[in-house]
Amino acid sequence: MTANEPTTDAIEAAQRQLDAHVREIVKWHFSPETGCPFWLDWAKRAGWDPAEEVRTFDDLLRFPHFQDEWLRDEPNERWVPRAYAGRPYYIFETGGTTGMPKQRIGWEDHWHDYEEFSETLDERYFPRGANWLMFGPTGPRRLRLTIEHLAHHRGGVCHHVDLDPRWVKRLLAEKDFETAKRYRDHCLEQAVTILKNRKITCLFTTPKLLEGLDEKLSVPDAGITGVFCGGTQMTPQNVRFLVEEVLDNRAQFVPTYGNTLMGLACSRPLTPQDQWSITYHAPQPRAVLRVVDPNDTAKTVDYGAWGRVELTTLTKEFFMPRFLERDEAIRREPWGRFAWDGVGEVRPFGALEQKTIEGVY
Amino acid sequence: MKPLSIPILRRGQFYESLDRTELKDIRTGAVIAEVSQANAGMIRRDSRSTSRDALRRIPAEKLIRICEEAGYLFMEADLPLGDRQSQSPQSYVACLSATTGLPHALVRRNMQKIHQVFTQMSTILRGLTRGLEWRILDHGVGEQAGVPVSYFCTADSLGVVLPSNSPGVNSLWMPSIPLKVPVVLKPGREEPWTPLRIIQAFVAAGCPPEAFSFYPTDHEGSATIMDVCQRALIFGDQSTVERYASNPAVQVHGPGWSKVIIGSDQVARWRDYLDVIVSSIAENGGRSCINASAILVPAEGDAIAEALAQRLAAITPLPFDDPQAQLAGFANPKMAEAINAMIEEGLKTPGAEEVTAKYRAGSRLVERDGSTYLQPTLIRCRDFRHPLANREFLFPYASLIEMPQERMLEEMGSSLVVTAITDDPDFIQKLISSPVIDRLNIGPMPTSRVQWDQPHEGNLFEFLYRRRAIQRVAVS
């Protein structure tokens, strides 16, 4: 057993906590007094009663894979749990490069996710009271609000730059590389202007934009001591380059894996000893990540093997069982305070077979 | 055997990446090497400081002597492949052959060509600069043929996105070093061997290492090289040519559509020229843009086609180390299959017939010793507009079209090399005046023949330097 391997007791306790949470959340969503119309109708057609029959996380295998088209095709009201009826909600979008985007509605989940995440940040690099720059996709995305909430929660304020990734994806699809480059420069210039004129210590951005900033200024010299990064895949080499060269080993780099549907998965601390390989752990029990065999998704793959990432979200605001992400990853063992599986070296599903327009920002 | 490790060179410094690709023996699938991959951000970051001064300080004359020494080292020496390993010339030949399918005999011929570029550098530079004195390169001013001249360099570095088809293409960027412009190279996926060996020969002979960057990388990395270097060479297909056509900072080497044409005055003697035509089609495995892909004749088309087909069909796949081997295996068998399918599809359009088929043993697409080959193919097209008439593929392939001599120039379209077998002064004058011919060989010589004192594919000096007017009066 290595120093960072959680004890068997810790792993079992996490499993018990997850099973209890599953029972509570499934009961909530499938009870007429609290559940949402979508799931209540679904249960009527399914011919079984999840509220009574789901006892453990493994019982969720009785659900089919959640289809994200449902989030596009079903009216938003269909997802409102009765317990939240009458309360205005946020609408957060994902996708939408062409046509109607997928939408998740929410009330406070995103606050919880980021407050929980806040506790994992190192005060030396992300000091309380420090100001942030949010330099990532804005518009109808959770990130726009959550980074600001994170800054406020930690006693600072948050500056913003407008950034529309759908426009960039469209330019790239049309092979209009020149306009895409001009738009990138336009965004970078705004971020640089803020960094030069305001005291900013913490930064949220994507790997590509961090590289872009590095073309215009030295990020650590600009006063940044903590960089919270997310949005796209990061190969070990990318991470090493960002840490060793762009941040000159002077600012902390905190990669995360997350999206509108999940929340935020934290990474283990990065080290050269791990060959800069990133492993994320879901914010269990609110969300669970499994690495499954693409040909038999009921089964997880062995530790150390590649498989497709499956996400289950379990909050009172949103129940999403067994959603197959468009990503693949290596299944990794529980680690440290994360007494449950991790997902390593996440990359687009089928990355070796096909090129997708991914991670433009 | 433990795979070799091919590093990145960042301005002369070895760098081992965490992202690596495997280079395999195309016959056995054994991993020959792991190639460190550069991320685009690294290329961009490195490009922010120039290493031109390191070359500028060295007199051109000394750089030319360094080239001569490097030529010897390239052929004979064990040269570093990274911090901890070196590679002998024999290992270089074997590795390059195993990962690209080029037989040893052809690799050695390409080595000879590269050796000549090193040792003939003085002649090459005289050709590119039209006889400029070396000290003008050192000081930027001087006199040429009694005329005052001043040249300045327009680039801090020359980016080169290389293909894998033939080691010989490296000859195009090599003069950049004595012209004092550092290079940023992206090797072809299967062929990191040659550019790295050339770099190491330059360095071992006394060139400053910081003049060389070598980034095995992906599409994004290639695009970054094109973006950050003020001048760039790229090798690609017609879509690449079109993409960069309006960019004067990029010199594109696309399809050559090189041709052999026989004039009406010589066509009766066509038998005398068969060797020249076969060499033009099949030399270097038919993998170069200077290989002929169309043969235009004014008469006797059928007879010439039959005779050529017979000779081409005699060229068959042989083991990689057979000294007689002339055909290269395909590193990617799917590519061979796709090319074969394109030819079959083209043959469905009336007006074309494959002449080689009846003389050849087996089909066009064959496998030998675990390697996939396309055997030489000659297509007799009735019309130059036939879809197979003006095509270029990565193996000995040509079409033969009969057309009146007076129509040849207007129909044949742009051609990197034309070998024109004629002694007709009027026709020769028309050929010389033609804007669609890049390099013109008059008389029976293969399209691949290179004369080092003339620019052979674009003029690198004119690409990297500009002339300015300069006037000076003494300060009183």
Side-chain angles (χ1 to χ4, degrees):
Chain A
M1 193 170 114
T2 63
N4 286 320
E5 200 175 314
T7 61
T8 312
D9 284 353
I11 293 171
E12 284 172 4
Q15 186 63 44
R16 279 196 302 278
Q17 190 198 5
L18 175 61
D19 287 340
H21 185 75
V22 166
R23 282 193 294 278
E24 183 194 356
I25 294 299
V26 171
K27 184 136 187 118
W28 169 275
H29 284 282
F30 291 89
S31 300
E33 56 280 14
T34 47
C36 70
F38 177 85
W39 284 119
L40 292 172
D41 289 351
W42 183 90
K44 275 182 215 152
R45 290 194 306 276
W48 61 288
D49 183 5
E52 289 305 317
E53 294 176 49
V54 170
R55 311 302 303 160
T56 66
F57 180 78
D58 288 346
D59 291 338
L60 294 179
L61 285 174
R62 294 184 65 185
F63 284 95
H65 292 298
F66 186 91
Q67 301 298 309
D68 60 354
E69 283 78 17
W70 296 336
L71 297 174
R72 183 184 59 205
D73 301 340
E74 295 279 336
N76 301 124
E77 311 80 73
R78 299 263 298 150
W79 300 99
V80 178
R82 170 142 312 160
Y84 288 85
R87 288 176 59 188
Y89 48 79
Y90 293 101
I91 298 173
F92 300 121
E93 292 188 358
T94 175
T97 306
T98 52
M100 180 67 194
K102 284 127 196 173
Q103 296 178 322
R104 172 188 175 178
I105 62 168
W107 289 263
E108 291 167 1
D109 266 356
H110 54 300
W111 306 151
H112 289 301
D113 289 338
Y114 280 70
E115 286 167 20
E116 210 173 89
F117 170 69
S118 175
E119 299 315 306
T120 69
L121 292 175
D122 187 331
E123 297 265 338
R124 285 172 297 171
Y125 303 102
F126 296 89
R128 293 205 183 257
N131 295 334
W132 286 67
L133 171 64
M134 155 61 185
F135 186 35
T138 54
R141 286 172 197 79
R142 258 168 58 118
L143 270 173
R144 159 66 185 83
L145 291 177
T146 52
I147 303 299
E148 187 160 46
H149 180 68
L150 179 67
H152 290 176
H153 180 69
R154 299 179 67 79
V157 296
C158 184
H159 295 261
H160 294 271
V161 172
D162 251 354
L163 203 155
D164 177 4
R166 288 176 195 166
W167 175 236
V168 182
K169 285 189 181 181
R170 184 162 163 178
L171 291 171
L172 295 185
E174 289 168 1
K175 297 197 187 306
D176 187 356
F177 303 111
E178 198 47 46
T179 310
K181 197 173 151 209
R182 284 186 61 205
Y183 183 67
R184 176 178 179 270
D185 280 344
H186 168 67
C187 295
L188 284 168
E189 278 161 21
Q190 295 175 68
V192 167
T193 303
I194 296 283
L195 288 174
K196 283 185 177 163
N197 290 285
R198 291 287 179 269
K199 183 169 167 41
I200 313 275
T201 310
C202 306
L203 172 68
F204 172 87
T205 193
T206 66
K208 287 268 158 63
L209 289 172
L210 183 56
E211 276 183 23
L213 281 175
D214 177 56
E215 287 166 35
K216 313 275 180 190
L217 47 68
S218 157
V219 175
D221 284 351
I224 299 293
T225 60
V227 178
F228 160 25
C229 222
T232 54
Q233 66 162 335
M234 286 171 245
T235 66
Q237 175 60 29
N238 275 124
V239 174
R240 172 193 178 192
F241 171 71
L242 293 172
V243 173
E244 288 184 343
E245 303 195 33
V246 172
L247 301 180
D248 193 23
N249 290 311
R250 287 188 283 150
Q252 194 186 44
F253 183 72
V254 176
T256 55
Y257 176 53
N259 55 38
T260 303
L261 303 180
M262 168 170 54
L264 204 57
C266 301
S267 93
R268 301 176 188 175
L270 290 165
T271 64
Q273 291 74 36
D274 289 341
Q275 293 281 294
W276 302 104
S277 174
I278 301 181
T279 300
Y280 300 108
H281 291 270
Q284 243 177 254
R286 294 163 55 79
V288 180
L289 289 171
R290 297 198 312 148
V291 181
V292 301
D293 178 346
N295 299 315
D296 181 3
T297 54
K299 291 187 187 143
T300 49
V301 297
D302 293 337
Y303 287 116
W306 285 91
R308 187 158 178 179
V309 179
E310 184 207 79
L311 165 69
T312 293
T313 301
L314 298 156
T315 72
K316 287 188 172 172
E317 294 180 10
F318 188 48
F319 171 62
M320 186 185 72
R322 306 186 64 211
F323 172 62
L324 288 174
E325 292 280 4
R326 288 178 184 80
D327 292 324
E328 61 190 11
I330 299 170
R331 184 183 173 206
R332 294 252 163 89
E333 272 104 351
W335 183 94
R337 61 195 155 87
F338 306 110
W340 52 87
D341 283 1
V343 298
E345 296 194 18
V346 178
R347 67 186 184 196
F349 183 65
L352 292 182
E353 282 79 42
Q354 60 196 23
K355 285 270 173 199
T356 49
I357 297 183
E358 195 263 350
V360 290
Y361 277 132
Chain B
M1 198 179 80
K2 194 168 173 283
L4 297 166
S5 172
I6 297 185
I8 292 166
L9 271 180
R10 304 177 68 179
R11 296 149 59 87
Q13 299 296 311
F14 290 120
Y15 181 92
E16 301 261 354
S17 169
L18 297 173
D19 283 351
R20 291 164 195 219
T21 55
E22 290 182 337
L23 260 191
K24 293 178 177 171
D25 184 315
I26 66 168
R27 296 157 299 181
T28 63
V31 179
I32 305 272
E34 286 183 348
V35 187
S36 276
Q37 299 292 303
N39 51 293
M42 173 195 297
I43 298 169
R44 205 170 274 284
R45 194 158 219 275
D46 292 350
S47 74
R48 293 213 300 252
S49 48
T50 171
S51 52
R52 214 168 93 69
D53 279 348
L55 281 176
R56 195 155 36 190
R57 280 195 292 267
I58 306 175
E61 194 152 5
K62 183 168 178 208
L63 286 169
I64 289 166
R65 282 203 307 276
I66 287 175
C67 289
E68 287 166 12
E69 168 72 7
Y72 167 78
L73 295 169
F74 178 79
M75 296 302 283
E76 304 294 339
D78 286 5
L79 291 169
L81 207 57
D83 276 331
R84 295 178 297 276
Q85 51 185 359
S86 63
Q87 188 173 46
S88 67
Q90 295 75 23
S91 160
Y92 161 74
V93 172
C95 288
L96 171 53
S97 178
T99 61
T100 63
L102 209 62
H104 293 196
L106 296 190
V107 176
R108 290 207 185 87
R109 218 166 294 163
N110 278 282
M111 279 179 89
Q112 283 295 345
K113 182 176 175 184
I114 290 162
H115 176 253
Q116 279 184 10
V117 174
F118 271 128
T119 53
Q120 305 279 316
M121 195 59 88
S122 155
T123 311
I124 291 171
L125 292 189
R126 268 204 297 274
L128 294 176
T129 64
R130 300 187 195 93
L132 208 65
E133 285 182 42
W134 304 144
R135 54 195 178 83
I136 298 175
L137 285 178
D138 296 335
H139 305 296
V141 288
E143 225 180 70
Q144 188 176 21
V147 178
V149 289
S150 171
Y151 285 98
F152 63 98
C153 184
T154 52
D156 279 336
S157 60
L158 172 70
V160 190
V161 177
L162 287 158
S164 290
N165 63 323
S166 173
V169 297
N170 287 280
S171 59
L172 291 178
W173 64 261
M174 288 165 62
S176 184
I177 297 303
L179 288 171
K180 306 189 178 202
V181 181
V183 290
V184 178
L185 308 181
K186 188 255 163 195
R189 218 200 83 80
E190 288 94 20
E191 220 279 75
W193 311 101
T194 309
L196 192 53
R197 188 169 175 82
I198 293 172
I199 289 172
Q200 296 304 344
F202 267 124
V203 173
C207 255
E210 56 265 47
F212 301 93
S213 291
F214 174 79
Y215 299 116
T217 184
D218 56 11
H219 285 299
E220 192 192 354
S222 300
T224 304
I225 291 176
M226 302 295 292
D227 192 35
V228 298
C229 295
Q230 293 80 6
R231 290 288 182 273
L233 308 180
I234 187 167
F235 297 79
D237 56 14
Q238 192 55 24
S239 67
T240 314
V241 174
E242 281 157 20
R243 181 168 167 194
Y244 292 106
S246 59
N247 186 344
V250 177
Q251 196 180 85
V252 194
H253 296 267
W257 294 311
S258 297
K259 298 174 181 78
V260 177
I261 62 184
I262 304 183
S264 305
D265 59 320
Q266 296 297 317
V267 74
R269 293 177 55 203
W270 60 266
R271 283 179 191 79
D272 297 346
Y273 308 128
L274 289 176
D275 284 347
V276 166
I277 302 175
V278 169
S279 301
S280 297
I281 296 170
E283 241 176 45
N284 205 29
R287 281 155 74 103
S288 308
C289 48
I290 54 177
N291 282 117
S293 51
I295 316 299
L296 309 185
V297 297
E300 304 267 15
D302 292 333
I304 300 172
E306 293 292 329
L308 276 178
Q310 242 173 321
R311 296 217 183 179
L312 286 167
I315 303 172
T316 55
L318 294 172
F320 283 11
D321 55 359
D322 189 313
Q324 302 303 318
Q326 292 186 66
L327 286 184
F330 276 78
N332 180 0
K334 285 204 175 73
M335 190 184 213
E337 286 161 22
I339 292 173
N340 195 47
M342 269 189 264
I343 296 170
E344 289 302 322
E345 187 58 35
L347 284 168
K348 289 181 189 156
T349 304
E353 177 207 352
E354 182 181 354
V355 200
T356 20
K358 59 181 175 243
Y359 298 110
R360 184 167 60 209
S363 56
R364 184 182 311 114
L365 181 75
V366 289
E367 203 189 297
R368 193 198 154 105
D369 304 332
S371 181
T372 306
Y373 292 85
L374 287 170
Q375 304 206 75
T377 296
L378 184 79
I379 309 280
R380 173 83 171 93
C381 292
R382 297 291 149 193
D383 194 302
F384 198 68
R385 281 164 300 189
H386 190 278
L388 288 177
N390 198 24
R391 293 302 296 274
E392 178 172 304
F393 297 113
L394 201 62
F395 78 108
Y397 169 93
S399 60
L400 187 138
I401 304 103
E402 188 178 303
M403 62 168 72
Q405 178 178 298
E406 52 278 15
R407 272 180 39 210
M408 286 179 186
L409 270 171
E410 69 191 59
E411 283 201 36
M412 73 180 190
S414 75
S415 313
L416 179 60
V417 188
V418 167
T419 280
I421 304 174
T422 178
D423 204 23
D424 170 355
D426 284 348
F427 190 34
I428 290 174
Q429 194 53 54
K430 284 199 178 94
L431 289 161
I432 289 174
S433 311
S434 168
V436 298
I437 301 172
D438 217 45
R439 191 201 311 173
L440 179 60
N441 293 343
I442 300 169
M445 68 184 108
T447 48
S448 51
R449 170 91 57 95
V450 172
Q451 200 172 333
W452 293 114
D453 57 1
Q454 296 190 55
H456 52 289
E457 266 189 76
N459 185 326
L460 196 63
F461 173 67
E462 288 170 3
F463 189 51
L464 295 175
Y465 281 81
R466 257 177 61 198
R467 188 177 167 205
R468 68 149 73 80
I470 188 163
Q471 298 175 80
R472 196 167 173 177
V473 291
V475 180
S476 56

